[in-house]
Amino acid sequence: MSVQTKQLEERVHPMEKLLRMDRIPHIWCPTCGLGTTITALAAAIDQMKLDYDNIAVVSGIGCTGRVAGYMKVDSFHTTHGRSIPFAVGLSIAKPKTKVIVFSGDGDLISIGGNHFIHTARRNMDITVICVNNFIYAMTGGQVAPTTPLTAKSATSPYGCYEHPFNLPLLAASSGASYVARWTALHIRRLTTALKEAISKKGFSFVEVIAPCSTLYARLNKLGSGLDLMKFYHDNSEIKHGADLKDVDIEFQSKITVGKFVDIEKPTYLECLNANNKRVFGDKYQPYGG
Amino acid sequence: MKFWRTPLDVDKLKIPRGELHIIKERCKGCGFCVEYCPKGVLQLAAEFNSKGYHPPEAVKPEECVNCDLCEMLCPDFAIYCVRVEEGEKEVTQ
Ligand code: SF4
Ligand code: SF4
């Protein structure tokens, strides 16, 4: 055995400690951005030196929904759109656990849209990472509530004519404590944002724009995921604290990224405890898990 | 090394060196590492791996500064970089 192969065998990829290696290679297409976003999450968890026993990753259905199956921490793959309700139950039962929802735009914002706004309103202490690739990818490229106007999808062959959601505005106006948006290319800033979001007390939301090469890029003739990464490179504009009314995403035009909201406010459990304390006085034992 | 502006403590600066590890069989040939390596260390190899993709190869391994960008951008956990002290550098593929 040469020195070189020996060295390779002795060393393992630094992310392997956080991945279920029996499931790797993952199913994502070549040049899909999802693998890059999972690296950012693994790097964030690693750099924060969190106890792996106190982290839970919850995903719904879809390409991004596979993340729960690849992370080697407590994880759960829920039914379509129900990742947030599961995460909320988990977070109430085990308030000391860092509960991270990692799912796609179709799952979180369309089918799970109502859960999303009400969990943000209650300022539940969870982190929601929404990978936005502008389309329902796994089910075959149907139009999503995030598909930009005029973009083609399997169910909008002449272009989408529905107004898409502006996700940071939706999250912030629903009551989130932390809101940021980055692309899969802004890998270091994304890792920092994930670290901030995970340590934030209350509802934190990070939107990650990522390339879907097989459906979104192909149906819109945008090339490969690498071409979309180059597009993000040339068209992203970093504007921390931007007015969220201006961060809409139009088809193949500038993408405003940055940290938009970072505020302190009482979480759901803190409000519950404070209210019961107010009503029942010393008879009430505050709930802390 | 070319600087935009020469740092005042340039004589004390040590440029980090990295040792690249490429796990060829995991690669799906996306080219993210090749495109975004700030030092132009990588290129897609002419050879195929068993899945039929062209994995990256280091053409200028001595230029690597262990910035880890290739490792962070790789969607398939197929490349990583380890910091080495001067003199120990090598590239495994
Ligand atoms: S269909 Fe799109 S989102 Fe799903 S794995 Fe392929 S490129 Fe990624
Ligand atoms: S660590 Fe940085 S300099 Fe070295 S090969 Fe990777 S991207 Fe290039």
Side-chain angles (χ1 to χ4, degrees):
Chain A
M1 192 192 304
S2 76
V3 185
Q4 294 186 345
T5 24
K6 189 156 152 272
Q7 218 177 19
L8 187 61
E9 276 170 15
E10 279 168 7
R11 288 221 170 101
V12 287
H13 192 287
M15 296 301 163
E16 288 189 17
K17 55 182 181 287
L18 271 161
L19 298 170
R20 296 181 201 263
M21 289 313 292
D22 49 330
R23 296 185 169 215
I24 301 292
H26 54 60
I27 61 153
W28 296 317
C29 309
T31 79
C32 173
L34 285 169
T36 304
T37 58
I38 196 175
T39 310
L41 177 63
I45 292 176
D46 192 31
Q47 289 169 20
M48 288 171 82
K49 307 222 176 331
L50 293 177
D51 176 4
Y52 294 172
D53 290 337
N54 274 334
I55 311 166
V57 175
V58 184
S59 299
I61 300 297
C63 290
T64 323
R66 311 293 297 212
V67 166
Y70 295 133
M71 294 294 292
K72 198 157 126 201
V73 291
D74 287 344
S75 57
F76 196 79
H77 193 185
T78 67
T79 48
H80 213 344
R82 310 301 168 226
S83 43
I84 290 184
F86 182 87
V88 166
L90 190 56
S91 155
I92 292 175
K94 299 186 87 179
K96 290 186 185 72
T97 299
K98 299 272 182 206
V99 181
I100 304 167
V101 174
F102 199 120
S103 211
D105 47 321
D107 184 69
L108 285 172
I109 310 300
S110 167
I111 296 167
N114 214 13
H115 302 304
F116 179 80
I117 54 175
H118 288 286
T119 308
R121 173 179 66 80
R122 292 179 178 133
N123 203 26
M124 280 288 172
D125 189 12
I126 64 172
T127 303
V128 175
I129 304 164
C130 175
V131 180
N132 183 357
N133 48 22
F134 306 123
I135 209 158
Y136 277 97
M138 182 165 282
T139 47
Q142 292 83 355
V143 79
T146 43
T147 310
L149 281 172
T150 73
K152 292 199 173 87
S153 72
T155 48
S156 61
Y158 303 111
C160 172
Y161 47 82
E162 297 175 17
H163 293 287
F165 267 133
N166 172 340
L167 298 186
L169 178 64
L170 179 69
S173 54
S174 305
S177 297
Y178 182 94
V179 178
R181 175 198 275 157
W182 295 103
T183 75
L185 182 66
H186 295 89
I187 189 74
R188 288 193 205 284
R189 293 175 192 267
L190 173 62
T191 308
T192 309
L194 294 183
K195 284 195 276 183
E196 287 175 353
I198 294 170
S199 30
K200 186 85 199 172
K201 195 168 56 67
F203 188 89
S204 35
F205 175 69
V206 181
E207 177 184 8
V208 190
I209 311 286
C212 164
S213 46
T214 301
L215 290 155
Y216 185 73
R218 182 174 55 84
L219 293 170
N220 287 290
K221 303 204 170 24
L222 302 175
S224 70
L226 180 58
D227 294 307
L228 278 179
M229 288 291 230
K230 290 181 193 161
F231 175 81
Y232 302 156
H233 179 267
D234 298 340
N235 294 278
S236 301
E237 202 176 292
I238 300 177
K239 248 194 211 167
H240 295 298
D243 185 348
L244 289 176
K245 287 199 283 304
D246 304 331
V247 306
D248 271 307
I249 294 182
E250 283 159 31
F251 183 59
Q252 290 301 90
S253 72
K254 109 180 155 354
I255 302 172
T256 310
V257 294
K259 177 162 85 174
F260 304 131
V261 177
D262 191 356
I263 53 168
E264 298 296 332
K265 72 184 214 189
T267 65
Y268 173 83
L269 281 184
E270 285 169 355
C271 292
L272 169 87
N273 283 332
N275 190 54
N276 284 357
K277 191 101 195 151
R278 182 179 62 80
V279 177
F280 301 110
D282 289 342
K283 273 191 293 184
Y284 179 69
Q285 286 243 320
Y287 175 72
Chain B
M1 179 84 132
K2 216 171 73 213
F3 293 107
W4 279 346
R5 178 182 61 82
T6 312
L8 295 173
D9 55 351
V10 68
D11 48 322
K12 287 196 216 94
L13 279 186
K14 250 186 101 191
I15 296 164
R17 292 272 159 234
E19 173 190 83
L20 267 180
H21 295 258
I22 301 168
I23 307 164
K24 283 191 224 164
E25 289 306 318
R26 260 188 223 163
C27 176
K28 291 184 193 157
C30 68
F32 290 177
C33 56
V34 176
E35 176 71 25
Y36 290 107
C37 169
K39 304 296 286 175
V41 170
L42 299 158
Q43 75 173 25
L44 287 185
E47 58 164 337
F48 293 95
N49 64 14
S50 61
K51 287 190 265 190
Y53 297 109
H54 295 287
E57 64 183 4
V59 276
K60 290 188 276 175
E62 66 293 343
E63 293 270 310
C64 172
V65 290
N66 188 39
C67 71
D68 277 349
L69 200 62
C70 50
E71 174 183 322
M72 291 295 291
L73 280 174
C74 175
D76 284 271
F77 321 104
I79 186 168
Y80 63 99
C81 195
V82 185
R83 184 162 181 168
V84 289
E85 296 310 322
E86 217 69 38
E88 305 171 7
K89 216 176 118 57
E90 54 183 308
V91 175
T92 61
Q93 307 219 335

